[in-house]
Amino acid sequence: MTDSEAETERARSFGAVAEDYERFRPGYPDDLVALVSDVADGPVRRAIEIGAGTGKATRTFAAAGIEVVATDPDADMLGVLRRECAGLPVTTVRAALEELDPAVYEPFDLLYAAASWHWTAPATRWDLATALVRDGGAVAFFGGPFVLADDEVAVVEEEMIAAYAPAGRHIPPPSAVDAPMLFPGDEMLADGRLSDVRQREVPRRFTLARADYVRHLDTISAIRILPAADRSALFADLAAVLPEQVEVRADLMVHTARRAVGQR
């Protein structure tokens, strides 16, 4: 299997656990909408979301009155999204970013992706993103890993995961050592079609029951693609060492920029 095929397998591994993804992954804070929308010149009335999943971010933006075109390549994830976003101004499109034709759409005021931009193809993602957004519109990308607050337990967890999944958890493409921003901010800074590139952090803390935390791990791509027997063994090992209540850091790293006027 090539690296590209492996990445595709991981990117398409979520549908089998769509209901768990919805239940055990956190949503997004309401104030994220203003943080993102204020970047744009003019009002944000229409947005397109890339890799919408079960609609965790979709409902936050749609509940603020923004019309959202929610795109995702997985039919099961979109099925949950449609149920959870019923009554909100949301339209769904089953497609990956690379399958979208910007000519079909009137340019959007905002393009955003929640914990999914790293799945897009590097060779085309910025051409497509900037083609989908109007001059002066905004692009925004946000997400971050769950990290156990107890450092000692976190080390044990990582060792156990590495024993079953040598590749570890999926992380975004690494930024250069001397990069001024983390991914995708480093790529945004290098694209002349984007201006006012910013990187901001939004702290988040959660307390989860041990069983719920383990179920959350089962929605992570690097673990989802393991053989079922290995996943079961890993979860049993973790359940034996994790406390009954798990304290988690889940800070959001938010990258935003404005679509430069006249730069096509």
Side-chain angles (χ1 to χ4, degrees), residues 138-194:
V139 297
F141 312 96
F142 43 89
F146 265 39
V147 179
L148 292 176
D150 186 321
D151 292 338
E152 291 185 5
V153 177
V155 169
V156 173
E157 179 202 42
E158 289 296 337
E159 290 175 348
M160 287 184 174
I161 290 176
Y164 289 97
R169 302 187 193 202
H170 185 88
I171 57 174
S175 302
V177 174
D178 58 350
M181 287 188 185
L182 300 174
F183 173 86
D186 52 349
E187 294 185 1
M188 296 162 73
L189 285 169
D191 195 305
R193 295 165 294 190
L194 300 175

Side-chain angles (χ1 to χ4, degrees), residues 30-241:
D30 293 340
D31 55 6
L32 185 63
V33 177
L35 181 70
V36 167
S37 300
D38 288 350
V39 174
D41 283 335
V44 172
R45 298 190 178 96
R46 298 173 58 252
I48 184 166
E49 180 177 4
I50 307 302
T54 63
K56 289 291 187 178
T58 317
R59 70 202 69 166
T60 300
F61 283 82
I66 298 172
E67 296 180 10
V68 179
V69 174
T71 71
D72 196 278
D74 192 288
D76 292 322
M77 300 289 272
L78 286 179
V80 176
L81 183 152
R82 283 190 287 269
R83 182 190 72 208
E84 296 298 323
C85 294
L88 293 172
V90 175
T91 302
T92 59
V93 175
R94 185 182 176 185
L97 173 65
E98 296 74 26
E99 298 168 323
L100 296 175
D101 180 0
V104 172
Y105 302 97
E106 179 183 348
F108 292 90
D109 303 312
L110 166 67
L111 176 145
Y112 70 93
S116 63
W117 194 245
H118 52 282
W119 296 120
T120 60
T124 57
R125 57 182 164 223
W126 298 112
D127 289 341
L128 289 166
T130 53
L132 285 162
V133 177
R134 64 168 173 82
D135 283 359
V139 297
F141 312 96
F142 43 89
F146 265 39
V147 179
L148 292 176
D150 186 321
D151 292 338
E152 291 185 5
V153 177
V155 169
V156 173
E157 179 202 42
E158 289 296 337
E159 290 175 348
M160 287 184 174
I161 290 176
Y164 289 97
R169 302 187 193 202
H170 185 88
I171 57 174
S175 302
V177 174
D178 58 350
M181 287 188 185
L182 300 174
F183 173 86
D186 52 349
E187 294 185 1
M188 296 162 73
L189 285 169
D191 195 305
R193 295 165 294 190
L194 300 175
S195 65
D196 194 19
V197 180
R198 306 182 198 180
Q199 175 177 289
R200 287 168 283 187
E201 192 168 12
V202 177
R204 294 193 304 174
R205 299 291 184 273
F206 297 99
T207 300
L208 301 176
R210 176 173 52 215
D212 289 353
Y213 178 74
V214 171
R215 294 286 290 276
H216 163 267
L217 290 177
D218 198 25
T219 71
I220 294 174
S221 63
I223 294 175
R224 280 300 315 152
I225 63 173
L226 292 175
D230 286 352
R231 289 205 313 275
S232 295
L234 170 61
F235 297 152
D237 289 349
L238 287 171
V241 299

Side-chain angles (χ1 to χ4, degrees), residues 12-30:
R12 305 296 173 95
S13 66
F14 300 108
V17 287
E19 293 292 350
D20 278 0
Y21 194 103
E22 171 59 28
R23 180 176 176 184
F24 298 111
R25 288 218 180 186
Y28 293 91
D30 293 340

